[in-house]
Amino acid sequence: MERTPGTFVRNRRLRRFPTLRTMLQETHLVLQDFICPFFVVQGQGIRKAIPHLPEVFLFSPDELLREAVTLHEKGIQAVLLFGRSERKDEVGSDAWNPHGAVQEAVRVLKRELPTLFVFTDVCLCAYTTSGHCGVVQGQHIDNDRTLEHLARVALSHCEAGADGIAPSDMMDGHILALREALDQAGFQEIPIMAYSAKFASSLYEPFREAVDSTPLFGDRSSYQLPPANLREALREAQTDLSEGADILMVKPALPYLDVLRVFRERFLVPLAAFQVSGEYAMVKYASLNGAIDEKKVALELLLSIKRAGADLIISYFAPKMPEWLREE
């Protein structure tokens, strides 16, 4: 049967040749996009596997340095440090211990790798006996009292040499409290990467296992964002910007790509997205069981995060990106 001219468009012409497909690719992943998360603990010679995060480890500062040197030589330019404490108390005081795991790790990294950009997570959940991100009064989180302690944590990280801080606690007023504390202490140039859209997700469990931060009671729904609420996420982001945030973050990444896209359309500041522990674990376990190809699926998911608007991607796949992107 003859085709009537002009009845359809041959879009596939641009997909036929691999070279042309590559030339016309609209979104690209590059090593500069990635921030590698690391878990640190006090001690020496510690490289401990984390049960439900395959190929992710808990490092002492000296072992972290070995890992970071290798990755930095391959092109990874930034890390985000999370601490685990064995000395928990009601207020999380080990979080601002000048000789704590994060503080010592920052000193080691900045001494040996001065061009590596070191972000530190600022929160109390891994340091409190309650496992909550703030100071607990009864079964209530004391927001304003928590702010004082978060400022101490942030200052201890900056005094150790951190290049940027990333408060993940989701307390009201925390960005303003940290910005004022840092400015008053002479750290006006330290950027704040705000976990502005941190949702009360079910995808954080492997992380909580890694840092031993599962709440002893209740959950974090009273301070993290309801998963159904986009407008509330926008209010949080606007508040953080007004209080002094330099970078906004959406966490988790994949279930909230719509939020990331709206942030990209609404805000002019840099955007980060955190591909969290549960997202990573699902890909790893599916690939280990032969259901999917780890590299192909991971790259497709990471590309979707970049396409949705992320400038920075925090991902446990970051250590593999130098090899994967070279192969691509």
Side-chain angles (χ1 to χ4, degrees):
M1 182 172 115
E2 293 187 6
R3 179 183 66 83
T4 302
T7 56
F8 66 87
V9 177
R10 292 188 182 275
N11 288 314
R12 287 180 53 206
R13 292 189 187 110
L14 301 180
R15 304 173 198 148
R16 180 182 176 190
F17 300 102
T19 299
L20 190 57
R21 288 200 303 270
T22 300
M23 292 171 65
L24 296 178
Q25 182 170 323
E26 299 173 18
T27 306
H28 297 269
L29 292 170
V30 295
L31 287 180
Q32 290 87 343
D33 296 333
F34 289 92
I35 299 173
C36 186
F38 281 118
F39 298 104
V40 292
V41 66
Q42 288 177 300
Q44 289 187 330
I46 298 171
R47 179 189 173 99
K48 182 179 180 182
I50 296 172
H52 292 108
L53 282 175
E55 301 179 24
V56 178
F57 300 89
L58 187 67
F59 293 105
S60 55
D62 58 322
E63 289 295 321
L64 173 62
L65 176 62
R66 294 173 186 268
E67 188 78 5
V69 166
T70 299
L71 289 181
H72 196 40
E73 289 174 348
K74 293 179 179 180
I76 294 296
Q77 299 185 10
V79 297
L80 173 59
L81 304 185
F82 297 90
R84 173 173 173 141
S85 175
E86 306 303 328
R87 299 193 297 176
K88 301 175 186 288
D89 59 28
E90 292 183 356
V91 298
S93 62
D94 199 34
W96 61 85
N97 177 359
H99 301 291
V102 170
Q103 291 82 352
E104 291 294 350
V106 169
R107 290 190 187 93
V108 168
L109 291 178
K110 294 308 299 180
R111 182 177 66 243
E112 303 297 332
L113 294 171
T115 59
L116 179 71
F117 198 97
V118 178
F119 283 105
T120 59
D121 182 79
V122 174
C123 195
L124 300 180
C125 62
Y127 301 89
T128 57
T129 50
S130 69
H132 277 287
C133 300
V135 178
V136 172
Q137 296 284 357
Q139 293 200 349
H140 170 71
I141 309 300
D142 189 331
N143 187 96
D144 295 6
R145 187 180 173 201
T146 298
L147 299 181
E148 302 171 14
H149 299 320
L150 293 172
R152 294 180 183 179
V153 179
L155 285 172
S156 73
H157 291 176
C158 293
E159 288 165 354
D163 297 304
I165 61 167
S168 63
D169 54 280
M170 291 297 287
M171 296 294 116
D172 288 341
H174 65 156
I175 301 300
L176 180 60
L178 298 187
R179 186 72 273 163
E180 289 182 342
L182 294 181
D183 289 355
Q184 290 170 10
F187 295 111
Q188 298 94 332
E189 302 301 320
I190 297 294
I192 297 177
M193 180 166 63
Y195 286 66
S196 301
K198 183 178 181 180
F199 290 88
S201 173
S202 300
L203 291 165
Y204 302 145
E205 292 307 318
F207 173 93
R208 292 172 183 170
E209 181 181 43
V211 299
D212 188 24
S213 67
T214 301
L216 290 184
F217 64 87
D219 56 29
R220 296 185 170 97
S221 297
S222 70
Y223 44 101
Q224 293 177 358
L225 283 167
N229 292 6
L230 170 59
R231 294 193 302 272
E232 190 171 353
L234 285 168
R235 292 200 302 273
E236 285 282 357
Q238 190 61 63
T239 298
D240 286 351
L241 285 176
S242 70
E243 294 182 359
D246 301 284
I247 303 169
L248 303 178
M249 186 196 301
V250 175
K251 178 185 179 182
L254 191 61
Y256 301 95
L257 292 182
D258 60 322
V259 178
L260 182 59
R261 168 50 59 185
V262 173
F263 273 30
R264 180 71 291 154
E265 294 170 351
R266 184 71 62 92
F267 304 114
L268 297 178
V269 299
L271 297 181
F274 200 145
Q275 187 184 49
V276 300
S277 59
E279 296 176 78
Y280 172 84
M282 287 191 292
V283 174
K284 292 295 294 185
Y285 281 115
S287 65
L288 289 171
N289 282 281
I292 61 173
D293 182 299
E294 176 187 343
K295 174 187 170 183
K296 289 182 178 179
V297 171
L299 287 176
E300 184 176 347
L301 297 180
L302 292 166
L303 195 64
S304 76
I305 297 168
K306 181 75 176 287
R307 189 181 64 246
D311 300 295
L312 302 171
I313 302 173
I314 306 161
S315 173
Y316 299 95
F317 286 114
K320 294 197 172 186
M321 296 311 296
E323 177 184 353
W324 283 355
L325 293 182
R326 185 173 62 252
E327 291 171 352
E328 289 294 298

